[in-house]
Structures are given as structure tokens and as C-alpha cells.
Amino acid sequence: MEEKLHLLRQHFEEIVSLTDDEWNIVKSHFEFKSLKKHQFLIQVGQPVAFEYWIIKGLVKAYSIDEKGKEHILQFAMEDYWVSDHCAFQHQEPGTIFVDCLEDSEFFCLSLENREKICFEVPAVANFFRIKSNHGYINLQQRILSLLTMTAESRYEYLLNKLPKLIQRVPKKLIASYLGVSRETLSRFSS
Amino acid sequence: MEEKLHLLRQHFEEIVSLTDDEWNIVKSHFEFKSLKKHQFLIQVGQPVAFEYWIIKGLVKAYSIDEKGKEHILQFAMEDYWVSDHCAFQHQEPGTIFVDCLEDSEFFCLSLENREKICFEVPAVANFFRIKSNHGYINLQQRILSLLTMTAESRYEYLLNKLPKLIQRVPKKLIASYLGVSRETLSRFSS
DNA sequence: GATTTTTTGTGATGTATGTCAATTTTGAAA
DNA sequence: TTTCAAAATTGACATACATCACAAAAAATC
């Protein structure tokens, strides 16, 4: 476990510096969790007690529409954060599903604990501020890609941006992430 | 000007508390700017020196594709923040345009000053952290709406969510925000 | 290793939405 | 008030992509 916590510390220290004392405060506010492939991290209607940092593994966050079709909001793997941020932030029942595409391990942070360490250790507030800002920028780019690009060029773009991901994830899920039917994706060239 | 700064303070204090001393530090790091309708706040290829909090007015943030078509990333009005966050964060040339749909006034915050007040006044780091988080949640919902909803229901949804905006903005811009042609939007019922 | 399930590929067909063009309406400027 | 430019509407037609159906391939499970 010490090794895993060390990875988390590295993750923080990519953005901000922490003293050993600060780190000891921070790390004591996380819980460990491990799930097998196909198990759920978050479900619609259930409480969303945590934000999760992924130690290892791969998950998908998605919603299901009236017709039962799955729409993927995010893939998240090692070193990513994932949650139903909306439900988590407002402490409301989940609005999306998150489940494991591979056996996965997480460090879990409750809202209470997050606010606690953000106010006790200012560097942590800055860490999450900067992380959240990066996330915002990413989502803006995804929105632009949905507005400006054809399904095929979104696919090419993703192939370039996250080639490793494509290999770990069935194409029908990639299709669902891109907002295109799996049949159409299958007709694309590369 | 004191009145306008007071609005900004209120904006911060909706999320975090600030002592008078803290506020004096914070406010000294903002600059005032005023633009007329049709003037640019940010242009592609130009430096993006600031993030802007809108005191009054209305702007659109958009990119222009190879065919010269405009795609609206965001409308921003009173009490909103706007910038080319990506270019701003990395201090690179702008990748989008932001211009005024109405005469507008702004408080401007440089990257250097933002980082300064975030590290000098922890409450400010928390303010931006929480704001950024809210922004992230909003963008996630917009992505879901682009993935799951038809153009028509996205329009209805927007009518409900931001009725005031619709009245201040020509429909062809709404169309561009929704990712639909103005002709198609014009054929929708309500 | 055999069997079942999941994933992928491909054809035929339907549909939402885009594009082009012309007209009307609205609103801003003089 | 008149004039002019921008915005909105409407029709005809084009197209990217969805859907349905079925078959093949690959992967998971027993």
C-alpha cells in the first residue's frame, strides 16, 4: 500500500509541492478500494460518496438513454480522476454509471475529506484548482470537436491522441464515446 | 468603480469568505476594461493575457472552421468568467475568438496575478477550485446533451435553462451553439 | 478444447439534418 | 421616417449517419 500511496503523492507533486507533514495529513483522508471487471463504482440512483483516483485499471462513465443506448462520457485509467462529479458535489443520487472495463484499484476521497484537506493544506486546493482547470479545457476541446468535426475525423483525432486507449477498449465503446453508431465507425478507413 | 468592485467581491463571497485585508489584496490584482459591441476581447493568434469576469454585457466565444463557419463554445454574460482558458493557461497564442454582442465591461486577471492571489489567499484558490469544478460539471452536461439528444430537444432544453439568453442573442448564434444549422433551427416548433 | 457470448463487419434502407437559393421580416443606422 | 444590412423563413434537394438484419470473427467461460 505504501507504494500505491507513493504514486498518489507523485501525482500531487507533479502540480504542487507538499511537505512530509502535509502529505501525511493528505494521505490519511483517502480510502483504498479494489474492484473486478464489470463491477460498478457508481450507479444511477445510488449515493456517490467519493471521488476516485485510479491507481490501476480502466473504467467507463456513461449514461443510458430512454432507448437503453449507452453514451460514454469518459474513459478513465491509471492516474485519472473519476466520479459523477455533479452528484458528488451536490451529494445527490448518481445520475450516471461508472463500471470497470478491467480489474481496477482506487483511492477514494469523500467530499467532506476533500474540503477538509483543501482548507487545511492550501497546496491541495491549488492542486485541485489546476487539475479541474485542465479538465475544463479538455472538455471544451471535446465540445468543439463535437461541434466542428465529422464522426470520422473525431475518430482519427482520438486514434492520435489516445492510441493506447483504443487497444484496451472495444470499438463499440469508442463509437459510443464519439457519438456515432458502431456500424458507422466500423466503416471508417484506418 | 467601487461599486463594480463590490459586485466582484460579492461574487467571491458567494463561494468563500474573505476578510477586508484579503479582499484588498485580491482586488488590487484586477484591471478594468470596457468594450463596445463587436469589439474583440480575444483573437486567434493574439496573446491571451487575461481571464475576464464580466461586470455587464454579453460576449460569445467561438472558433471558425476551414469553411469559415462559426462554432460557439460559450455565451458569457454578467457574473460569468470567460477566456481562451487553454491558451491563457499555457500562455500561448489564442485559439478562439471572443467578441462582444453588447457593450461590455470586464475585470481582467492575468495568469501571474491569479497564481499570486491563489497562493497568497487560500480562500481564493478554493474559490477558483470550486468555480472550475462547477464549470466542469456544466461542460459534462453539455457533452451528454450533444451525445444523447436531438438538435430539437437540445433547443427546448436551452429555452428552459436560459430563457433570458435566447432573447438577447440572434437565433443563428443559438443554432451555432447547439451545433445545428440556422435553417434547421428555424424549422423547430417552439 | 468446445461452447457460448461478445464484438465486428457489411449490405439495404430510412431519416434527421445540412446546403443552396430565394424571399420576407426585423432591426439598426442615418 | 427612410434606408440599408442582418436575421429569419421556406422550399428543393443532397448527404452523413442511424437503424435493422444477418454473418463472421474473436474472446470469454465452462
Side-chain angles (χ1 to χ4, degrees):
Chain A
M1 192 57 57
E2 274 314 309
E3 255 178 58
K4 288 167 186 170
L5 280 165
H6 182 65
L7 289 173
L8 180 57
R9 179 170 185 174
Q10 281 186 324
H11 176 64
F12 276 91
E13 301 226 59
E14 271 169 30
I15 310 272
V16 295
S17 306
L18 294 173
T19 64
D20 286 348
D21 284 347
E22 285 174 332
W23 172 244
N24 284 329
I25 296 174
V26 170
K27 79 174 184 190
S28 70
H29 289 81
F30 282 87
E31 294 174 31
F32 176 79
K33 176 164 191 148
S34 166
L35 288 180
K36 296 277 172 203
K37 187 169 172 171
H38 294 131
Q39 289 188 305
F40 284 95
L41 195 57
I42 292 170
Q43 279 178 277
V44 170
Q46 299 297 115
V48 181
F50 301 101
E51 250 174 4
Y52 302 91
W53 183 72
I54 302 177
I55 304 163
K56 73 164 197 123
L58 177 61
V59 305
K60 64 176 202 275
Y62 58 102
S63 84
I64 293 189
D65 67 23
E66 328 82 54
K67 288 169 194 156
K69 212 167 116 188
E70 187 175 301
H71 301 272
I72 295 187
L73 199 54
Q74 186 194 4
F75 292 110
M77 47 194 173
E78 297 80 21
D79 216 37
Y80 280 57
W81 289 86
V82 71
S83 188
D84 178 346
H85 296 286
C86 186
F88 174 73
Q89 185 66 40
H90 304 107
Q91 296 285 291
E92 289 166 357
T95 60
I96 59 172
F97 296 95
V98 178
D99 67 27
C100 299
L101 298 172
E102 301 173 359
D103 295 352
S104 305
E105 293 177 354
F106 311 91
F107 282 124
C108 320
L109 183 60
S110 70
L111 184 62
E112 195 188 340
N113 281 343
R114 190 187 70 183
E115 297 307 305
K116 220 152 106 185
I117 58 180
C118 281
F119 283 89
E120 278 179 29
V121 184
V124 170
N126 278 300
F127 170 82
F128 282 114
R129 171 178 68 82
I130 290 162
K131 267 286 158 198
S132 193
N133 202 233
H134 290 161
Y136 184 89
I137 289 166
N138 273 327
L139 292 193
Q140 273 202 337
Q141 283 175 339
R142 182 155 171 219
I143 286 172
L144 265 187
S145 80
L146 286 167
L147 292 178
T148 65
M149 297 161 86
T150 64
E152 183 157 16
S153 43
R154 290 204 296 281
Y155 182 49
E156 282 165 19
Y157 179 74
L158 189 69
L159 280 178
N160 275 314
K161 201 178 163 200
L162 297 172
K164 288 168 258 167
L165 182 72
I166 314 292
Q167 284 148 22
R168 286 168 79 175
V169 173
K171 281 192 186 164
K172 69 166 196 170
L173 297 184
I174 301 291
S176 160
Y177 175 85
L178 293 171
V180 79
S181 71
R182 78 193 163 68
E183 292 95 332
T184 297
L185 185 84
S186 144
R187 281 181 250 261
F188 294 157
S189 48
S190 53
Chain B
M1 191 57 57
E2 275 313 309
E3 254 178 61
K4 288 165 186 171
L5 280 165
H6 182 66
L7 289 174
L8 181 57
R9 180 170 185 174
Q10 281 187 325
H11 176 64
F12 276 92
E13 300 226 62
E14 271 170 31
I15 310 273
V16 295
S17 308
L18 295 173
T19 65
D20 287 348
D21 285 345
E22 286 174 332
W23 171 243
N24 285 327
I25 297 175
V26 170
K27 79 174 182 190
S28 70
H29 290 81
F30 281 88
E31 294 173 33
F32 177 79
K33 177 164 190 148
S34 167
L35 288 179
K36 296 275 172 204
K37 186 169 173 170
H38 294 130
Q39 289 188 306
F40 283 94
L41 195 57
I42 292 171
Q43 280 178 275
V44 171
Q46 300 296 116
V48 181
F50 301 101
E51 251 175 4
Y52 302 92
W53 184 72
I54 303 178
I55 304 162
K56 71 167 197 115
L58 177 61
V59 305
K60 65 177 200 276
Y62 59 102
S63 84
I64 293 190
D65 66 23
E66 328 83 54
K67 288 172 193 153
K69 212 166 116 188
E70 190 175 300
H71 302 272
I72 296 187
L73 199 54
Q74 185 193 5
F75 293 109
M77 47 195 173
E78 297 79 22
D79 217 37
Y80 280 59
W81 289 86
V82 71
S83 187
D84 179 345
H85 296 286
C86 186
F88 174 74
Q89 185 66 40
H90 304 106
Q91 295 285 290
E92 289 168 357
T95 60
I96 58 170
F97 296 95
V98 179
D99 67 28
C100 299
L101 298 172
E102 302 173 0
D103 297 352
S104 304
E105 293 178 354
F106 311 91
F107 282 124
C108 318
L109 183 60
S110 71
L111 185 62
E112 196 188 339
N113 280 344
R114 190 188 70 183
E115 296 308 305
K116 222 152 102 186
I117 59 179
C118 280
F119 284 90
E120 279 179 30
V121 183
V124 170
N126 278 299
F127 170 81
F128 282 114
R129 171 178 68 82
I130 290 161
K131 267 285 158 196
S132 194
N133 201 234
H134 289 161
Y136 184 89
I137 289 165
N138 272 326
L139 293 192
Q140 272 202 339
Q141 283 175 340
R142 181 154 171 220
I143 287 173
L144 265 187
S145 80
L146 286 168
L147 291 179
T148 63
M149 296 160 86
T150 66
E152 183 158 14
S153 43
R154 290 204 296 282
Y155 181 49
E156 281 164 21
Y157 179 73
L158 189 68
L159 280 179
N160 274 315
K161 201 177 163 200
L162 296 172
K164 291 168 257 170
L165 182 73
I166 314 293
Q167 283 148 22
R168 286 167 78 174
V169 172
K171 279 192 186 165
K172 70 168 195 168
L173 296 185
I174 301 292
S176 161
Y177 176 86
L178 293 173
V180 80
S181 71
R182 69 180 203 293
E183 293 93 333
T184 297
L185 184 80
S186 143
R187 282 182 249 260
F188 293 158
S189 47
S190 54

